[in-house]
């Protein structure tokens, strides 16, 4: 078990860092979103076609001791209203990495993106968002379209 201890600690650190860096700030005001449409059925939701696909954000940074880190976040929004967010965290100095995948359902309400988390924990988050060509902004964070 001790071989996994750094990875467990890194996983906790990754979650804390990604909460700050990976699209969890809902305060930004953005330009208007793309054209939306509503799905049918009892769980009808409004979706924005401009979000469909994969979006990526990567940050490389160093701590006060000069150790290098990478955090990468990949959002995938699907036309059926499901979504996933993959967060990868790499500690170059220790040679360890962690990957956390969260699944959710999503919808839009005007310029607000609502994400209802399913796994690993339930809950709903609301973010301001906007799409400009190949850039998606969620809160204060920008993501580039992945082809």
């Amino acid at each position: 078990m001790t071989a996994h201890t750094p990875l467990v600690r890194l996983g906790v650190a990754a979650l804390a860092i990604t909460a700050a860096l990976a699209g969890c700030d809902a305060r930004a005001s953005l330009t208007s979103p793309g054209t939306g449409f509503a799905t049918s059925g009892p769980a009808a939701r409004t979706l924005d076609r401009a979000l469909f696909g994969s979006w990526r954000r990567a940050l490389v940074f160093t701590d006060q001791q000069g150790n290098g880190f990478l955090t990468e976040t990949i959002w995938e929004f699907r036309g059926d209203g499901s979504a996933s967010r993959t967060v990868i965290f790499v500690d170059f100095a220790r040679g360890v990495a962690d990957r956390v995948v969260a699944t959710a359902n999503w919808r839009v309400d005007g310029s607000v993106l609502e994400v209802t988390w399913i796994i690993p924990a339930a809950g709903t988050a609301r973010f301001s968002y906007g799409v400009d060509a190949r850039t998606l902004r969620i809160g204060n964070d920008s993501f580039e379209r992945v082809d």
Side-chain angles (χ1 to χ4, degrees):
M1 281 290 245
T2 57
H4 297 285
T5 302
L7 204 55
V8 170
R9 286 187 189 140
L10 187 55
V12 172
L15 290 175
I17 289 170
T18 56
L21 299 175
C24 292
D25 185 296
R27 294 174 292 167
S29 61
L30 303 172
T31 59
S32 62
T35 304
F37 72 96
T39 60
S40 60
R45 63 185 76 244
T46 302
L47 304 177
D48 183 346
R49 293 176 197 258
L51 271 70
F52 291 4
S54 296
W55 303 87
R56 177 181 180 268
R57 171 185 170 93
L59 299 170
V60 176
F61 57 96
T62 57
D63 64 12
Q64 293 175 343
Q65 291 76 36
N67 298 316
F69 302 91
L70 164 77
T71 182
E72 179 178 11
T73 303
I74 302 165
W75 281 96
E76 184 177 348
F77 296 98
R78 292 179 279 291
D80 65 356
S82 65
S84 63
R85 184 182 70 184
T86 302
V87 177
I88 301 164
F89 183 81
V90 179
D91 179 337
F92 295 111
R94 291 184 182 94
V96 294
D98 196 13
R99 178 175 168 243
V100 177
V101 178
T103 60
N105 289 314
W106 70 281
R107 70 181 195 95
V108 296
D109 182 10
S111 62
V112 174
L113 168 64
E114 183 177 281
V115 177
T116 302
W117 302 107
I118 300 168
I119 297 173
T124 299
R126 296 174 55 88
F127 308 102
S128 56
Y129 85 100
V131 180
D132 180 22
R134 298 187 54 80
T135 303
L136 166 63
R137 293 192 304 168
I138 300 175
N140 290 328
D141 300 325
S142 296
F143 298 82
E144 297 301 316
R145 183 173 291 282
V146 177
D147 289 323

